[in-house]
Structure formats: C-alpha cells, structure tokens
Amino acid sequence: MRPTDDEKVVAAVKQLLGNEEPEIERNNAIQFNGLRHGVSLRDYADTIAMRFYEQFTPSAGVTVASFVNYDATLNNTHALGNQLSEALKTSLTQVGYPIVEVNLAQQIDITSKGNFVLTRKSDNRYFEYVVIGTMIHRKHGIDIDARLIEAKTQKTYAASSLTIPAFMFE
C-alpha cells in the first residue's frame, strides 16, 4: 500500500522535527487535531522557519503578519491564521531571526486581571522585513504560502509552501 500525499507530509514533518510529543493546540474557529496524528501547529511553523533560514537570514528587524485567507480582500483571517503567525514568531526567533513585536504597547496595563503589554492599537510600525502568508482552504486541506519580504524594496527573500492535511482538522 502506497502512502498518500497527506501521509507523506506528516511523515516528512515528523522526520524533520523528530518524534517529540507536541502540545495540544486549541482553535475555536477551526479545530486543529494534529495531536492525535503526532503533529502540532508549531511543527508546521518550524518547517516554514527552517525553509526561510536555508534561503536567507536577515540581520534587521522582522515582523510576522497574520496569515490571511486568499480571497478578494486579503484581509480576512481567523484563529488558525493568527495562531500560525504567533507560532512562526517563536520558530523564527529560535533560528536566529530578530523579531519585532508590532503589537507591543508603550506601557504595561496593570489590572486586577493581570499585567498586559500586547495591544491591537500599537503605533509601533518599525520593521525592515515582514513575513506574510496566505491560506487556501481546499478539500485536501489548507495550503499555506509564506514569504519573507523586505518592506522598503518589496523584494521577496525567502518563500515556503506547505499543506496542512484535512484530517488534521477532523
């Protein structure tokens, strides 16, 4: 019996990243169930980060935008797109990329519920490179395309494509 393309992707990710037990991923909009297949969303982010690292290593600040649905507006995302961008910030940091956190507030908001420094209303717009990503929902899974772009010249320096198989969301 020959493995399917989805099984090949899972096997390749396991081989690249080892067989460590991944943490449970929670997603309210799209339920990612990779744990039962031995793969976490972070594993996919690690794959993208390693592919970027093989192509280009910037010395200047990089930020990661939310991954968006590939539609007419390129403005729609959901929990999976935000979780993937957050995981990619961690993965890129681990391979040596200098990450700029554009959601960082100018001060810490101290409340009875906790101390908060991330915001959606930040004026921090300084970065030299940006990682952008699109997601295309297909019958076989979600195709992810990611690119590392220099903001000033709009040139692409690294790119990666992968598919998160549909059975990861069952």
Side-chain angles (χ1 to χ4, degrees):
M1 181 176 212
R2 296 179 54 191
T4 65
D5 287 343
D6 290 344
E7 290 167 332
K8 289 177 187 175
V9 169
V10 171
V13 169
K14 282 183 178 179
Q15 182 180 5
L16 284 172
L17 303 171
N19 291 321
E20 299 175 29
E21 279 297 311
E23 293 183 26
I24 296 174
E25 297 289 339
R26 300 198 191 290
N27 186 316
N28 294 333
I30 297 175
Q31 186 63 45
F32 183 86
N33 290 318
L35 178 62
R36 66 187 222 211
H37 300 289
V39 179
S40 73
L41 190 59
R42 177 122 11 247
D43 294 330
Y44 291 101
D46 287 347
T47 299
I48 293 170
M50 288 307 300
R51 289 177 181 171
F52 279 12
Y53 180 77
E54 291 168 354
Q55 297 169 53
F56 180 73
T57 304
S59 58
V62 177
T63 194
V64 181
S66 296
F67 280 61
V68 298
N69 292 333
Y70 189 75
D71 59 18
T73 68
L74 296 174
N75 249 352
N76 296 310
T77 193
H78 40 68
L80 179 65
N82 288 325
Q83 288 176 341
L84 184 56
S85 70
E86 289 297 316
L88 193 52
K89 288 177 190 177
T90 299
S91 296
L92 289 170
T93 299
Q94 291 172 338
V95 297
Y97 277 46
I99 299 297
V100 174
E101 181 55 70
V102 294
N103 293 333
L104 196 62
Q106 297 298 316
Q107 61 187 20
I108 295 176
D109 185 16
I110 301 171
T111 73
S112 61
K113 294 181 181 181
N115 303 333
F116 304 97
V117 72
L118 294 177
T119 181
R120 295 281 185 206
K121 300 174 186 173
S122 174
D123 292 331
N124 184 2
R125 302 285 186 259
Y126 181 76
F127 54 88
E128 294 190 34
Y129 295 90
V130 62
V131 174
I132 62 168
T134 58
M135 300 174 293
I136 301 174
H137 301 256
R138 301 189 189 278
K139 183 178 179 181
H140 65 275
I142 298 177
D143 291 337
I144 306 290
D145 290 300
R147 293 181 299 284
L148 175 71
I149 299 172
E150 185 178 27
K152 184 177 181 180
T153 65
Q154 299 180 358
K155 290 181 181 179
T156 299
Y157 285 89
S160 178
S161 295
L162 55 80
T163 299
I164 302 176
F167 64 80
M168 293 293 188
F169 302 98
E170 296 171 350

